[in-house]
Every structure is written in C-alpha cells, then in structure tokens.
Amino acid sequence: MTQSVFAAILGVPNVGKSTLLNRIVGEKIAIVSPKPQTTRTRVTGVLTEGETQFVFLDTPGIHKPRTLLGEGMIKTIGEAASGVDAAILLCEPHDAGLAPVGEFLERLKKSGVPVILCVNKIDTLREKEALLPIIAKLTEDYDFDAVLPISAVTGEGVDELKAELKKFAVPSPHFFPDDAVTDQPDRVIAAELIREKLLLTLDHEVPHGIAVEIEQFSTREDSDILDISAVIYCEKESHKGIIIGKKGATLKKTMTAARLDCEAFFGCKVNLRTRVKVKENWRNRAGFINSIGMFEQQ
Ligand SMILES: Nc1nc2c(ncn2[C@@H]2O[C@H](COP(=O)(O)OP(=O)(O)OP(=O)(O)O)[C@@H](O)[C@H]2O)c(=O)[nH]1
Ligand SMILES: [Mg+2]
C-alpha cells in the first residue's frame, strides 16, 4: 500500500526554506543565498522512502509586495499552501514573533491544513536551553500540530520532521517516479543556477532586478557537451555595467561559477554563453514576466 504527503514550506524570506528542501531531497534543486527573496516561484522537491512519497513545495518568502513580481510571488505562496496535506512553517530563533505570517496562518487554520512549526538554524544557538523560551513565545498564539527545532544546514531534526509529516500521509499512488527529486525542467534549473551566482556576487538593488532567460539548451550530437545560452535581464543601464564589470571580469567570474554548478547538476561539460540586456522596470511589467514564463510551469 503506497502513500504520499504533500507539504508546503512557508516562512518569511531568508529563514532557510530552500536550504531545507535541498537537505531533505539530498540534492541542490533550489537556489540559496543570504539575500531575501531569493526564491521567486514554487519549487517542487520529491523524496520517496519505501511506500511513502514526500512532495515538498518550496515557496517564495512571505513579504509585503511592492512590485507585480512580488504580487506574483505572494499568489504563488497562497496557491502552494492550499490543498496540501501539511504545511511546514519555518522561522528563526531570533524572530520576534509570527505576526508577518499571521495572515497565512489564519488561512491554513480555516482550510484545516495541519501546521508544523520548525525553528530553523538552531546550529547558531550557543546554548540549546535558549530554545525553550523561544518556542514558548512563538507558540503563544497558535496551536501548532507539532513544533520542532531543526537545522537545515546540519540536518539536525530533519528525520523528526519527516516522521511528523508521515502522520499526515494519505493512501495514494506515487505521483512522481520513485527516483525523482524534482519536476523542474532542466532549463529552469540552469536559469536559476545562473541567477544564484548573480545573487551571490552582486549587492543592493542589482540582484533583485535580475531575471534570467535560457535561449538555447541543447546537447551536441558529436559529444556530450551541453550548450546553454542565456540572457541576463537587469533594470538599469548602470546595473548592466556592474554585472559585466571592468573588461567583463565580474561577469566572467560569476558565469564560471554558474557553469561549474551546471556541470555538477547535469553531469556533463557545459558551454555557457550569456549576454546582458536592460529591461527597465520589468518587475512591474506583466507582459515581460509572462513572456519569460516565470510562473508558467506552476
Ligand atoms: N546557520 C544556518 N544557516 C542557514 C540554515 N538554513 C539556511 N541558512 C542560511 O540562510 C540563508 C537563507 O537561506 P535560503 O534557504 O535561501 O532561505 P529561504 O527561506 O529559501 O529564502 P527566500 O527564498 O529568500 O525566501 C542562506 O545563507 C543559508 O545558508 C541553518 O539551518 N543554519
Ligand atoms: Mg528560497
């Protein structure tokens, strides 16, 4: 008898949702950075253990949107959180409270979705005793189905989380092949790996105004070299200069890192070509957001 459990991973930006997803499925399928709003779309991760298939939906961070892109991200969170068997709400030990996610918690309560609160990044706590008052405070206003301290980086508490989720599994066929880790198309993964490297290299507003579109993704007939060509969109001419750097040095360095990640993920040599284009204020242009298919495969 097989069973499955669909779980949405929710929380404010930067709490470690994507790190947790990668840790659970055992492969880097979602990009991670210290910058808030790294994840823009839903990312599905799959883990099959014996009869149980876990399907995780990583989501963008809950925030007050200021652009059309932000509104799309918030809509994505709502859609991912409805109809799941459980929600994992991630927070950090130093969080002041859960007010920023209050609206989503209310919605989950109304729709009867069980919520597991995970206090992530416990590896950053010097004293484990510090956790008790933190948990007491975070659970004051909401009756969570379980509360778990975890570390997405060290893996502490992740087995306990899976055990809790298993309680909400329902008898069903497996929806993905048992060896699948994600259903994201290869092009999307390539675009995201490129965007991650730009997020890690660039500062201030520049990385938030970047979108990556894959123009070519093909393996050569005579060898196993993968040709990827991508357009990096940014919002201002001045940003373009920063992305490219002096004599192209910044872009070269960033794209070498992206190529190495692509080679590791796709398991072959990659020839990566990129060009940078300015698309002013694209985060408020529905036509552009649709044209690069950002929310398409969800
Ligand atoms: N020390 C520590 N750092 C962590 C842990 N989990 C995540 N991080 C770090 O926190 C930062 C944000 O991680 P992400 O996984 O990108 O966070 P996110 O919640 O997906 O962020 P958004 O996509 O922007 O909403 C990164 O620098 C991670 O390395 C953890 O358990 N311990
Ligand atoms: Mg993320």
Side-chain angles (χ1 to χ4, degrees):
M1 187 65 167
T2 59
Q3 56 177 5
S4 66
V5 54
F6 280 69
I9 308 177
L10 310 171
V12 296
N14 221 30
V15 285
K17 299 178 293 299
S18 304
T19 310
L20 177 65
L21 181 78
N22 293 340
R23 159 65 59 177
I24 295 176
V25 304
E27 222 176 303
K28 181 168 161 180
I29 55 166
I31 64 169
V32 165
S33 93
K35 308 231 164 54
Q37 286 157 40
T38 295
T39 305
R40 287 176 175 163
T41 56
R42 190 192 68 206
V43 179
T44 304
V46 183
L47 174 73
T48 309
E49 286 184 339
E51 77 282 5
T52 310
Q53 183 162 78
F54 300 87
V55 182
F56 295 92
L57 309 178
D58 181 21
T59 62
I62 296 169
H63 68 286
K64 290 224 179 325
R66 285 182 295 136
T67 59
L68 263 185
L69 170 67
E71 283 171 24
M73 287 158 66
I74 297 299
K75 193 165 157 247
T76 296
I77 307 169
E79 285 166 359
S82 64
V84 283
D85 304 304
I88 302 164
L89 179 67
L90 229 59
C91 65
E92 290 190 43
H94 62 70
D95 280 349
L98 297 175
V101 297
E103 194 193 314
F104 278 90
L105 270 175
E106 277 313 308
R107 276 205 238 170
L108 291 166
K109 194 186 237 170
K110 266 196 199 131
S111 53
V113 175
V115 185
I116 300 170
L117 178 71
C118 287
V119 185
N120 189 31
K121 307 195 185 182
I122 55 162
D123 57 291
T124 61
L125 288 176
R126 255 197 257 137
E127 308 279 340
K128 284 279 146 73
E129 292 79 62
L131 260 176
L132 286 173
I134 292 168
I135 289 176
K137 191 164 171 237
L138 291 169
T139 53
E140 247 168 26
D141 301 322
Y142 196 90
D143 190 15
F144 291 100
D145 293 78
V147 181
L148 295 171
I150 67 163
S151 168
V153 162
T154 67
E156 198 178 343
V158 169
D159 285 340
E160 288 80 355
L161 172 59
K162 285 193 286 184
E164 283 300 330
L165 284 171
K166 230 172 161 174
K167 295 180 187 167
F168 303 110
V170 287
S172 76
H174 289 173
F175 293 90
F176 297 90
D178 283 3
D179 59 354
V181 287
T182 186
D183 66 347
Q184 289 185 101
D186 288 346
R187 290 176 161 257
V188 172
I189 291 176
E192 285 288 272
L193 290 175
I194 293 168
R195 194 166 64 83
E196 180 187 61
K197 296 302 171 281
L198 294 160
L199 272 162
L200 294 173
T201 313
L202 304 163
D203 286 313
H204 309 296
E205 263 306 282
V206 185
H208 294 294
I210 281 176
V212 177
E213 184 180 26
I214 302 296
E215 285 185 313
Q216 185 201 358
F217 188 100
S218 55
T219 307
R220 292 184 197 173
E221 268 172 29
D222 53 349
S223 65
D224 73 343
I225 294 175
L226 178 60
D227 285 301
I228 303 176
S229 70
V231 185
I232 297 165
Y233 291 100
C234 62
E235 289 197 315
K236 289 180 186 151
E237 206 56 52
S238 61
H239 291 183
K240 182 174 169 176
I242 295 168
I243 293 166
I244 295 172
K246 247 191 199 152
K247 292 188 183 158
T250 311
L251 186 63
K252 193 172 171 212
K253 198 171 135 225
T254 321
M255 288 310 111
T256 300
R259 177 178 56 77
L260 292 174
D261 255 25
C262 285
E263 289 183 343
F265 188 86
F266 298 115
C268 61
K269 280 245 161 292
V270 169
N271 171 41
L272 176 62
R273 275 167 302 145
T274 49
R275 58 204 174 95
V276 185
K277 273 189 176 177
V278 179
K279 196 60 111 182
E280 273 182 32
N281 196 27
W282 69 260
R283 282 180 287 173
N284 279 312
R285 290 164 72 174
F288 176 80
I289 293 171
N290 292 337
S291 77
I292 63 164
M294 198 176 294
F295 298 110
E296 209 164 67
Q297 36 102 27
Q298 305 198 353

